[in-house]
Amino acid sequence: MARSVISKLDCAVIGGGPGGLVSALYLARFRRKVVLINDGKPRAAWIPKSHNILGQERGISGDLLLKRLRRQITALHVPVIKGQARIDPVTTGFSVSVNRIPSFIARTVILATGIEDNQPAIENLVELREKGLLRYCSICDAYEFRDQEVAVIAADDTGIQKALFIRHWTERTRLIIPEDFLISTERSNQLKKARIRITRCNHFRLQASKAPHGLWIHPEHGPSRFCRVAYVELGSRVRDSAFAHLKGLHRSTEGYLVTSIEQRLSIPGLFAVGDCVNLLGQISVAAGQAAVAATEIHNDLLDWG
Ligand SMILES: Cc1cc2nc3c(=O)[nH]c(=O)nc-3n(C[C@H](O)[C@H](O)[C@H](O)COP(=O)(O)OP(=O)(O)OC[C@H]3O[C@@H](n4cnc5c(N)ncnc54)[C@H](O)[C@@H]3O)c2cc1C
């Protein structure tokens, strides 16, 4: 069904994860006309229980945190629209389409579209993620597995660096890496010094285990290995369906959006927050950037002549 075009929305927020929700919260409390558009599942929804969120001493699941944030903005009457957004610059700001239907004209836009993790080619991926046996953020939860058996599934040097990073929490770290990946002499020496064990394999199966609680790794050749959890360190890509087509948008070689310290992008009126701009993918970072971007927008739109 065609949506009527609303002119002069102060801001369209694209993305319903922590970055987008906190942006909308601030803008609504600045009495700005704002909508939030979200498509799909925020990365934050995959968090089984986070122990590094401000004031949550017993931890909180990603789902519950998102639910609470959604309640906070709904109470402020922010419309939450389900669908895939795409933006195009126009003279008065941006035309925002939802599911290809031109829906809003917004004076400013905050992109909070997040990233998508590259996944190992295994059949039971969703089951293992839901059971918390596959992990994606060592800064967030490696502390919970300190001194335990931890595997790191890597494909390249970035993954090896992650294994060295994780080794700080546990001496029992194992690197799973393709047979033909050439490890540099420098890295090889670092891995030896850190006493990280290496399993070379191109294909493996992963199997949940109740007792002992954890995960069995079955390589196509060689012995099976047990670990409490495995970190997936296969890289990620920025979710860019809203803006991939825009000309003049500065992005890093990895595809991240390049912002100023006020979260401004290279196109005036456009801002970005959260995982899509930042290698330190953390909720507190996304929330802080959202507060900065929303306040910048509010100040930009103040019109006292
Ligand atoms: C398993 C796991 C555990 C983690 N644990 C922690 C933790 O303990 N502590 C911590 O601080 N961080 C943790 N993180 C990281 C945290 O989840 C991210 O830093 C956070 O979700 C980033 O928020 P965001 O709003 O930038 O992106 P997201 O939460 O990914 O939300 C982005 C949203 O934008 C939507 N979107 C994208 N493109 C469009 C479009 N064109 N139109 C409409 N919507 C669109 C996406 O579908 C998605 O819903 C964890 C991550 C994972 C995967």
Side-chain angles (χ1 to χ4, degrees):
M1 195 173 45
R3 225 171 261 118
S4 61
V5 172
I6 302 170
S7 60
K8 296 231 172 170
L9 202 64
D10 289 323
C11 185
V13 176
I14 303 179
L21 288 163
V22 175
S23 299
L25 174 66
Y26 272 71
L27 285 161
R29 290 177 58 84
F30 284 133
R31 308 186 78 180
R32 290 294 172 188
K33 203 166 173 185
V34 54
V35 299
L36 182 142
I37 306 155
N38 186 57
D39 177 40
K41 196 165 169 165
R43 197 162 173 258
W46 288 105
I47 305 175
K49 199 169 209 182
S50 174
H51 294 275
N52 66 0
I53 307 291
L54 283 178
Q56 298 294 328
E57 58 187 320
R58 291 189 184 162
I60 184 167
S61 73
D63 267 340
L64 182 56
L65 179 71
L66 290 167
K67 198 170 151 189
R68 286 184 180 168
L69 282 168
R70 279 194 293 264
R71 275 211 304 258
Q72 246 178 308
I73 66 161
T74 308
L76 291 162
H77 310 291
V78 176
V80 177
I81 291 156
K82 210 173 160 192
Q84 190 175 74
R86 177 188 151 115
I87 57 167
D88 288 288
V90 292
T91 44
T92 50
F94 299 89
S95 154
V96 183
S97 304
V98 181
N99 293 338
R100 296 173 185 268
I101 300 170
S103 301
F104 304 104
I105 298 292
R107 295 165 78 188
T108 62
V109 170
I110 295 181
L111 299 171
T113 56
I115 57 169
E116 205 161 13
D117 299 286
N118 297 328
Q119 302 291 356
I122 51 168
E123 280 173 9
N124 50 351
L125 179 78
V126 175
E127 177 211 338
L128 300 179
R129 274 177 91 158
E130 284 176 357
K131 287 185 169 158
L133 296 172
L134 285 182
R135 298 274 162 168
Y136 294 81
C137 176
S138 54
I139 294 178
C140 309
D141 49 33
Y143 179 80
E144 266 70 60
F145 308 107
R146 60 196 181 279
D147 303 325
Q148 298 185 52
E149 201 70 48
V150 167
V152 179
I153 300 170
D156 55 20
D157 191 59
T158 310
I160 298 177
Q161 287 179 55
K162 287 289 169 74
L164 288 161
F165 185 69
I166 288 168
R167 165 63 180 80
H168 181 72
W169 282 282
T170 174
E171 283 186 10
R172 294 150 74 191
T173 305
R174 174 176 296 279
L175 175 69
I176 314 286
I177 192 143
E179 280 162 20
D180 54 355
F181 181 76
L182 196 64
I183 302 177
S184 71
T185 312
E186 186 196 357
R187 282 282 179 257
S188 184
N189 289 338
Q190 289 174 334
L191 289 167
K192 269 188 205 133
K193 192 173 174 196
R195 294 190 307 281
I196 292 179
R197 291 149 303 160
I198 302 176
T199 295
R200 289 279 199 173
C201 65
N202 292 339
H203 303 285
F204 53 83
R205 282 186 306 110
L206 298 178
Q207 184 191 4
S209 162
K210 273 196 184 142
H213 181 44
L215 192 63
W216 282 101
I217 302 166
H218 303 294
E220 55 184 339
H221 313 295
S224 297
R225 305 288 183 182
F226 175 79
C227 60
R228 174 61 187 82
V229 291
Y231 279 88
V232 176
E233 298 293 357
L234 299 174
S236 56
R237 60 160 215 92
V238 170
R239 287 172 149 160
D240 63 3
S241 58
F243 55 83
H245 59 286
L246 292 183
K247 292 199 173 74
L249 191 57
H250 292 176
R251 297 178 69 171
S252 70
T253 41
E254 298 88 9
Y256 290 97
L257 291 165
V258 177
T259 69
S260 69
I261 54 166
E262 302 96 1
Q263 305 306 130
R264 290 177 197 276
L265 291 166
S266 49
I267 297 175
L270 196 55
F271 294 73
V273 304
D275 283 6
C276 63
V277 302
N278 204 298
L279 275 171
L280 188 62
Q282 292 286 285
I283 289 168
S284 52
V285 175
Q289 291 173 340
V292 171
T295 309
E296 283 297 306
I297 287 173
H298 178 58
N299 274 317
D300 284 356
L301 299 184
L302 283 177
D303 184 15
W304 300 118

PDB file of all heavy atoms in Angstrom, residues 6-38:
ATOM      1  N   ILE A   6       5.392  12.482   3.713  1.00  0.00           N
ATOM      2  CA  ILE A   6       5.366  13.487   4.774  1.00  0.00           C
ATOM      3  C   ILE A   6       6.550  14.401   4.525  1.00  0.00           C
ATOM      4  O   ILE A   6       7.680  13.937   4.456  1.00  0.00           O
ATOM      5  CB  ILE A   6       5.540  12.846   6.161  1.00  0.00           C
ATOM      6  CG1 ILE A   6       4.446  11.819   6.407  1.00  0.00           C
ATOM      7  CG2 ILE A   6       5.566  13.902   7.257  1.00  0.00           C
ATOM      8  CD1 ILE A   6       4.675  10.982   7.640  1.00  0.00           C
ATOM      9  N   SER A   7       6.332  15.678   4.382  1.00  0.00           N
ATOM     10  CA  SER A   7       7.477  16.557   4.163  1.00  0.00           C
ATOM     11  C   SER A   7       8.024  17.030   5.504  1.00  0.00           C
ATOM     12  O   SER A   7       7.335  17.012   6.523  1.00  0.00           O
ATOM     13  CB  SER A   7       7.083  17.740   3.290  1.00  0.00           C
ATOM     14  OG  SER A   7       6.075  18.450   3.940  1.00  0.00           O
ATOM     15  N   LYS A   8       9.279  17.431   5.485  1.00  0.00           N
ATOM     16  CA  LYS A   8       9.929  18.038   6.640  1.00  0.00           C
ATOM     17  C   LYS A   8       9.901  17.206   7.916  1.00  0.00           C
ATOM     18  O   LYS A   8       9.569  17.693   8.988  1.00  0.00           O
ATOM     19  CB  LYS A   8       9.346  19.434   6.896  1.00  0.00           C
ATOM     20  CG  LYS A   8       9.614  20.383   5.756  1.00  0.00           C
ATOM     21  CD  LYS A   8      10.205  21.664   6.248  1.00  0.00           C
ATOM     22  CE  LYS A   8      10.640  22.492   5.052  1.00  0.00           C
ATOM     23  NZ  LYS A   8      11.014  23.818   5.336  1.00  0.00           N
ATOM     24  N   LEU A   9      10.179  15.933   7.740  1.00  0.00           N
ATOM     25  CA  LEU A   9      10.528  15.124   8.912  1.00  0.00           C
ATOM     26  C   LEU A   9      11.882  15.674   9.359  1.00  0.00           C
ATOM     27  O   LEU A   9      12.740  15.939   8.524  1.00  0.00           O
ATOM     28  CB  LEU A   9      10.678  13.684   8.417  1.00  0.00           C
ATOM     29  CG  LEU A   9      10.548  12.508   9.345  1.00  0.00           C
ATOM     30  CD1 LEU A   9       9.149  12.429   9.922  1.00  0.00           C
ATOM     31  CD2 LEU A   9      10.848  11.241   8.550  1.00  0.00           C
ATOM     32  N   ASP A  10      12.084  15.873  10.645  1.00  0.00           N
ATOM     33  CA  ASP A  10      13.396  16.388  11.058  1.00  0.00           C
ATOM     34  C   ASP A  10      14.496  15.357  10.810  1.00  0.00           C
ATOM     35  O   ASP A  10      15.590  15.699  10.383  1.00  0.00           O
ATOM     36  CB  ASP A  10      13.382  16.771  12.548  1.00  0.00           C
ATOM     37  CG  ASP A  10      12.553  18.016  12.790  1.00  0.00           C
ATOM     38  OD1 ASP A  10      12.588  18.915  11.928  1.00  0.00           O
ATOM     39  OD2 ASP A  10      11.863  18.075  13.822  1.00  0.00           O
ATOM     40  N   CYS A  11      14.176  14.097  11.125  1.00  0.00           N
ATOM     41  CA  CYS A  11      15.212  13.073  10.953  1.00  0.00           C
ATOM     42  C   CYS A  11      14.590  11.696  10.721  1.00  0.00           C
ATOM     43  O   CYS A  11      13.618  11.331  11.388  1.00  0.00           O
ATOM     44  CB  CYS A  11      16.103  13.023  12.201  1.00  0.00           C
ATOM     45  SG  CYS A  11      17.493  11.883  12.038  1.00  0.00           S
ATOM     46  N   ALA A  12      15.166  10.962   9.796  1.00  0.00           N
ATOM     47  CA  ALA A  12      14.813   9.544   9.639  1.00  0.00           C
ATOM     48  C   ALA A  12      15.982   8.744  10.186  1.00  0.00           C
ATOM     49  O   ALA A  12      17.133   8.967   9.790  1.00  0.00           O
ATOM     50  CB  ALA A  12      14.582   9.211   8.174  1.00  0.00           C
ATOM     51  N   VAL A  13      15.691   7.842  11.117  1.00  0.00           N
ATOM     52  CA  VAL A  13      16.738   6.984  11.674  1.00  0.00           C
ATOM     53  C   VAL A  13      16.597   5.619  11.017  1.00  0.00           C
ATOM     54  O   VAL A  13      15.517   5.022  11.053  1.00  0.00           O
ATOM     55  CB  VAL A  13      16.584   6.858  13.206  1.00  0.00           C
ATOM     56  CG1 VAL A  13      17.618   5.885  13.763  1.00  0.00           C
ATOM     57  CG2 VAL A  13      16.727   8.223  13.874  1.00  0.00           C
ATOM     58  N   ILE A  14      17.670   5.137  10.419  1.00  0.00           N
ATOM     59  CA  ILE A  14      17.601   3.846   9.721  1.00  0.00           C
ATOM     60  C   ILE A  14      18.383   2.803  10.510  1.00  0.00           C
ATOM     61  O   ILE A  14      19.600   2.918  10.678  1.00  0.00           O
ATOM     62  CB  ILE A  14      18.131   3.968   8.281  1.00  0.00           C
ATOM     63  CG1 ILE A  14      17.319   5.050   7.556  1.00  0.00           C
ATOM     64  CG2 ILE A  14      18.028   2.628   7.557  1.00  0.00           C
ATOM     65  CD1 ILE A  14      17.742   5.306   6.141  1.00  0.00           C
ATOM     66  N   GLY A  15      17.663   1.825  11.036  1.00  0.00           N
ATOM     67  CA  GLY A  15      18.269   0.760  11.840  1.00  0.00           C
ATOM     68  C   GLY A  15      17.660   0.734  13.229  1.00  0.00           C
ATOM     69  O   GLY A  15      17.597   1.764  13.904  1.00  0.00           O
ATOM     70  N   GLY A  16      17.220  -0.451  13.652  1.00  0.00           N
ATOM     71  CA  GLY A  16      16.529  -0.571  14.946  1.00  0.00           C
ATOM     72  C   GLY A  16      17.339  -1.318  15.984  1.00  0.00           C
ATOM     73  O   GLY A  16      16.784  -1.947  16.883  1.00  0.00           O
ATOM     74  N   GLY A  17      18.674  -1.243  15.896  1.00  0.00           N
ATOM     75  CA  GLY A  17      19.534  -1.776  16.955  1.00  0.00           C
ATOM     76  C   GLY A  17      19.761  -0.683  17.998  1.00  0.00           C
ATOM     77  O   GLY A  17      19.106   0.371  17.970  1.00  0.00           O
ATOM     78  N   PRO A  18      20.699  -0.898  18.924  1.00  0.00           N
ATOM     79  CA  PRO A  18      20.947   0.100  19.971  1.00  0.00           C
ATOM     80  C   PRO A  18      21.293   1.486  19.412  1.00  0.00           C
ATOM     81  O   PRO A  18      20.829   2.499  19.942  1.00  0.00           O
ATOM     82  CB  PRO A  18      22.140  -0.477  20.737  1.00  0.00           C
ATOM     83  CG  PRO A  18      22.110  -1.937  20.451  1.00  0.00           C
ATOM     84  CD  PRO A  18      21.523  -2.105  19.096  1.00  0.00           C
ATOM     85  N   GLY A  19      22.087   1.542  18.329  1.00  0.00           N
ATOM     86  CA  GLY A  19      22.474   2.838  17.752  1.00  0.00           C
ATOM     87  C   GLY A  19      21.263   3.621  17.282  1.00  0.00           C
ATOM     88  O   GLY A  19      21.100   4.808  17.592  1.00  0.00           O
ATOM     89  N   GLY A  20      20.380   2.963  16.530  1.00  0.00           N
ATOM     90  CA  GLY A  20      19.189   3.631  16.000  1.00  0.00           C
ATOM     91  C   GLY A  20      18.203   3.979  17.098  1.00  0.00           C
ATOM     92  O   GLY A  20      17.637   5.084  17.123  1.00  0.00           O
ATOM     93  N   LEU A  21      17.996   3.063  18.033  1.00  0.00           N
ATOM     94  CA  LEU A  21      17.005   3.296  19.091  1.00  0.00           C
ATOM     95  C   LEU A  21      17.418   4.458  19.998  1.00  0.00           C
ATOM     96  O   LEU A  21      16.596   5.302  20.360  1.00  0.00           O
ATOM     97  CB  LEU A  21      16.812   2.011  19.910  1.00  0.00           C
ATOM     98  CG  LEU A  21      16.050   0.896  19.168  1.00  0.00           C
ATOM     99  CD1 LEU A  21      16.257  -0.454  19.842  1.00  0.00           C
ATOM    100  CD2 LEU A  21      14.563   1.220  19.093  1.00  0.00           C
ATOM    101  N   VAL A  22      18.707   4.516  20.341  1.00  0.00           N
ATOM    102  CA  VAL A  22      19.150   5.625  21.216  1.00  0.00           C
ATOM    103  C   VAL A  22      19.107   6.945  20.444  1.00  0.00           C
ATOM    104  O   VAL A  22      18.749   7.989  20.994  1.00  0.00           O
ATOM    105  CB  VAL A  22      20.549   5.335  21.820  1.00  0.00           C
ATOM    106  CG1 VAL A  22      21.063   6.527  22.621  1.00  0.00           C
ATOM    107  CG2 VAL A  22      20.499   4.095  22.712  1.00  0.00           C
ATOM    108  N   SER A  23      19.419   6.917  19.146  1.00  0.00           N
ATOM    109  CA  SER A  23      19.292   8.138  18.325  1.00  0.00           C
ATOM    110  C   SER A  23      17.857   8.654  18.376  1.00  0.00           C
ATOM    111  O   SER A  23      17.606   9.844  18.601  1.00  0.00           O
ATOM    112  CB  SER A  23      19.637   7.843  16.856  1.00  0.00           C
ATOM    113  OG  SER A  23      20.944   7.385  16.712  1.00  0.00           O
ATOM    114  N   ALA A  24      16.901   7.743  18.156  1.00  0.00           N
ATOM    115  CA  ALA A  24      15.482   8.135  18.143  1.00  0.00           C
ATOM    116  C   ALA A  24      15.048   8.649  19.513  1.00  0.00           C
ATOM    117  O   ALA A  24      14.273   9.612  19.616  1.00  0.00           O
ATOM    118  CB  ALA A  24      14.627   6.948  17.717  1.00  0.00           C
ATOM    119  N   LEU A  25      15.563   8.013  20.561  1.00  0.00           N
ATOM    120  CA  LEU A  25      15.217   8.433  21.927  1.00  0.00           C
ATOM    121  C   LEU A  25      15.636   9.889  22.169  1.00  0.00           C
ATOM    122  O   LEU A  25      14.851  10.717  22.646  1.00  0.00           O
ATOM    123  CB  LEU A  25      15.921   7.498  22.921  1.00  0.00           C
ATOM    124  CG  LEU A  25      15.814   7.841  24.401  1.00  0.00           C
ATOM    125  CD1 LEU A  25      14.375   7.699  24.880  1.00  0.00           C
ATOM    126  CD2 LEU A  25      16.716   6.922  25.228  1.00  0.00           C
ATOM    127  N   TYR A  26      16.877  10.207  21.837  1.00  0.00           N
ATOM    128  CA  TYR A  26      17.364  11.580  22.041  1.00  0.00           C
ATOM    129  C   TYR A  26      16.575  12.572  21.188  1.00  0.00           C
ATOM    130  O   TYR A  26      16.171  13.633  21.655  1.00  0.00           O
ATOM    131  CB  TYR A  26      18.863  11.675  21.715  1.00  0.00           C
ATOM    132  CG  TYR A  26      19.751  11.361  22.899  1.00  0.00           C
ATOM    133  CD1 TYR A  26      19.862  10.071  23.390  1.00  0.00           C
ATOM    134  CD2 TYR A  26      20.471  12.372  23.538  1.00  0.00           C
ATOM    135  CE1 TYR A  26      20.672   9.777  24.473  1.00  0.00           C
ATOM    136  CE2 TYR A  26      21.287  12.090  24.626  1.00  0.00           C
ATOM    137  CZ  TYR A  26      21.384  10.789  25.089  1.00  0.00           C
ATOM    138  OH  TYR A  26      22.182  10.509  26.167  1.00  0.00           O
ATOM    139  N   LEU A  27      16.353  12.221  19.918  1.00  0.00           N
ATOM    140  CA  LEU A  27      15.663  13.163  19.021  1.00  0.00           C
ATOM    141  C   LEU A  27      14.231  13.409  19.485  1.00  0.00           C
ATOM    142  O   LEU A  27      13.739  14.542  19.439  1.00  0.00           O
ATOM    143  CB  LEU A  27      15.695  12.629  17.583  1.00  0.00           C
ATOM    144  CG  LEU A  27      17.070  12.779  16.918  1.00  0.00           C
ATOM    145  CD1 LEU A  27      17.200  11.860  15.713  1.00  0.00           C
ATOM    146  CD2 LEU A  27      17.326  14.240  16.503  1.00  0.00           C
ATOM    147  N   ALA A  28      13.565  12.359  19.949  1.00  0.00           N
ATOM    148  CA  ALA A  28      12.186  12.529  20.433  1.00  0.00           C
ATOM    149  C   ALA A  28      12.177  13.440  21.654  1.00  0.00           C
ATOM    150  O   ALA A  28      11.293  14.291  21.812  1.00  0.00           O
ATOM    151  CB  ALA A  28      11.586  11.168  20.763  1.00  0.00           C
ATOM    152  N   ARG A  29      13.162  13.268  22.536  1.00  0.00           N
ATOM    153  CA  ARG A  29      13.217  14.112  23.735  1.00  0.00           C
ATOM    154  C   ARG A  29      13.647  15.544  23.401  1.00  0.00           C
ATOM    155  O   ARG A  29      13.449  16.451  24.202  1.00  0.00           O
ATOM    156  CB  ARG A  29      14.133  13.464  24.783  1.00  0.00           C
ATOM    157  CG  ARG A  29      13.509  12.191  25.376  1.00  0.00           C
ATOM    158  CD  ARG A  29      14.429  11.502  26.344  1.00  0.00           C
ATOM    159  NE  ARG A  29      14.807  12.366  27.438  1.00  0.00           N
ATOM    160  CZ  ARG A  29      14.083  12.565  28.542  1.00  0.00           C
ATOM    161  NH1 ARG A  29      12.930  11.940  28.694  1.00  0.00           N
ATOM    162  NH2 ARG A  29      14.502  13.366  29.477  1.00  0.00           N
ATOM    163  N   PHE A  30      14.238  15.746  22.215  1.00  0.00           N
ATOM    164  CA  PHE A  30      14.496  17.108  21.714  1.00  0.00           C
ATOM    165  C   PHE A  30      13.258  17.663  21.000  1.00  0.00           C
ATOM    166  O   PHE A  30      13.327  18.699  20.359  1.00  0.00           O
ATOM    167  CB  PHE A  30      15.675  17.108  20.725  1.00  0.00           C
ATOM    168  CG  PHE A  30      17.040  16.985  21.357  1.00  0.00           C
ATOM    169  CD1 PHE A  30      17.974  16.090  20.851  1.00  0.00           C
ATOM    170  CD2 PHE A  30      17.407  17.779  22.434  1.00  0.00           C
ATOM    171  CE1 PHE A  30      19.242  15.979  21.412  1.00  0.00           C
ATOM    172  CE2 PHE A  30      18.681  17.674  23.000  1.00  0.00           C
ATOM    173  CZ  PHE A  30      19.597  16.771  22.491  1.00  0.00           C
ATOM    174  N   ARG A  31      12.162  16.919  21.053  1.00  0.00           N
ATOM    175  CA  ARG A  31      10.889  17.293  20.418  1.00  0.00           C
ATOM    176  C   ARG A  31      11.034  17.416  18.903  1.00  0.00           C
ATOM    177  O   ARG A  31      10.450  18.292  18.265  1.00  0.00           O
ATOM    178  CB  ARG A  31      10.341  18.593  21.019  1.00  0.00           C
ATOM    179  CG  ARG A  31      10.282  18.532  22.532  1.00  0.00           C
ATOM    180  CD  ARG A  31       9.621  19.729  23.121  1.00  0.00           C
ATOM    181  NE  ARG A  31       8.172  19.627  22.990  1.00  0.00           N
ATOM    182  CZ  ARG A  31       7.331  20.558  23.424  1.00  0.00           C
ATOM    183  NH1 ARG A  31       7.782  21.659  23.992  1.00  0.00           N
ATOM    184  NH2 ARG A  31       6.040  20.408  23.283  1.00  0.00           N
ATOM    185  N   ARG A  32      11.841  16.533  18.345  1.00  0.00           N
ATOM    186  CA  ARG A  32      12.029  16.504  16.893  1.00  0.00           C
ATOM    187  C   ARG A  32      11.090  15.480  16.266  1.00  0.00           C
ATOM    188  O   ARG A  32      10.783  14.453  16.885  1.00  0.00           O
ATOM    189  CB  ARG A  32      13.484  16.149  16.556  1.00  0.00           C
ATOM    190  CG  ARG A  32      14.466  17.247  16.913  1.00  0.00           C
ATOM    191  CD  ARG A  32      14.222  18.456  16.068  1.00  0.00           C
ATOM    192  NE  ARG A  32      15.003  19.609  16.477  1.00  0.00           N
ATOM    193  CZ  ARG A  32      14.817  20.820  15.963  1.00  0.00           C
ATOM    194  NH1 ARG A  32      13.882  21.038  15.062  1.00  0.00           N
ATOM    195  NH2 ARG A  32      15.558  21.830  16.366  1.00  0.00           N
ATOM    196  N   LYS A  33      10.676  15.777  15.028  1.00  0.00           N
ATOM    197  CA  LYS A  33       9.806  14.850  14.305  1.00  0.00           C
ATOM    198  C   LYS A  33      10.691  13.763  13.695  1.00  0.00           C
ATOM    199  O   LYS A  33      11.476  14.040  12.778  1.00  0.00           O
ATOM    200  CB  LYS A  33       9.070  15.627  13.212  1.00  0.00           C
ATOM    201  CG  LYS A  33       7.810  14.991  12.761  1.00  0.00           C
ATOM    202  CD  LYS A  33       7.015  16.005  11.954  1.00  0.00           C
ATOM    203  CE  LYS A  33       5.809  15.370  11.341  1.00  0.00           C
ATOM    204  NZ  LYS A  33       5.109  16.315  10.468  1.00  0.00           N
ATOM    205  N   VAL A  34      10.594  12.561  14.251  1.00  0.00           N
ATOM    206  CA  VAL A  34      11.525  11.500  13.872  1.00  0.00           C
ATOM    207  C   VAL A  34      10.768  10.190  13.634  1.00  0.00           C
ATOM    208  O   VAL A  34       9.753   9.935  14.286  1.00  0.00           O
ATOM    209  CB  VAL A  34      12.610  11.327  14.981  1.00  0.00           C
ATOM    210  CG1 VAL A  34      12.013  11.101  16.347  1.00  0.00           C
ATOM    211  CG2 VAL A  34      13.592  10.209  14.662  1.00  0.00           C
ATOM    212  N   VAL A  35      11.241   9.398  12.678  1.00  0.00           N
ATOM    213  CA  VAL A  35      10.742   8.025  12.543  1.00  0.00           C
ATOM    214  C   VAL A  35      11.941   7.090  12.566  1.00  0.00           C
ATOM    215  O   VAL A  35      13.062   7.492  12.222  1.00  0.00           O
ATOM    216  CB  VAL A  35       9.940   7.767  11.237  1.00  0.00           C
ATOM    217  CG1 VAL A  35       8.720   8.644  11.140  1.00  0.00           C
ATOM    218  CG2 VAL A  35      10.819   7.901  10.012  1.00  0.00           C
ATOM    219  N   LEU A  36      11.691   5.856  12.980  1.00  0.00           N
ATOM    220  CA  LEU A  36      12.741   4.837  12.947  1.00  0.00           C
ATOM    221  C   LEU A  36      12.292   3.729  12.000  1.00  0.00           C
ATOM    222  O   LEU A  36      11.161   3.244  12.093  1.00  0.00           O
ATOM    223  CB  LEU A  36      12.982   4.286  14.351  1.00  0.00           C
ATOM    224  CG  LEU A  36      14.099   3.241  14.458  1.00  0.00           C
ATOM    225  CD1 LEU A  36      14.882   3.443  15.752  1.00  0.00           C
ATOM    226  CD2 LEU A  36      13.553   1.829  14.411  1.00  0.00           C
ATOM    227  N   ILE A  37      13.180   3.376  11.081  1.00  0.00           N
ATOM    228  CA  ILE A  37      12.847   2.325  10.106  1.00  0.00           C
ATOM    229  C   ILE A  37      13.808   1.158  10.326  1.00  0.00           C
ATOM    230  O   ILE A  37      15.028   1.358  10.366  1.00  0.00           O
ATOM    231  CB  ILE A  37      12.998   2.857   8.660  1.00  0.00           C
ATOM    232  CG1 ILE A  37      12.160   4.130   8.488  1.00  0.00           C
ATOM    233  CG2 ILE A  37      12.577   1.789   7.644  1.00  0.00           C
ATOM    234  CD1 ILE A  37      12.653   5.039   7.391  1.00  0.00           C
ATOM    235  N   ASN A  38      13.264  -0.023  10.491  1.00  0.00           N
ATOM    236  CA  ASN A  38      14.135  -1.188  10.714  1.00  0.00           C
ATOM    237  C   ASN A  38      13.691  -2.373   9.872  1.00  0.00           C
ATOM    238  O   ASN A  38      12.510  -2.617   9.693  1.00  0.00           O
ATOM    239  CB  ASN A  38      14.135  -1.602  12.187  1.00  0.00           C
ATOM    240  CG  ASN A  38      15.146  -2.711  12.429  1.00  0.00           C
ATOM    241  OD1 ASN A  38      16.328  -2.541  12.132  1.00  0.00           O
ATOM    242  ND2 ASN A  38      14.691  -3.842  12.931  1.00  0.00           N
TER     243      ASN A  38
END
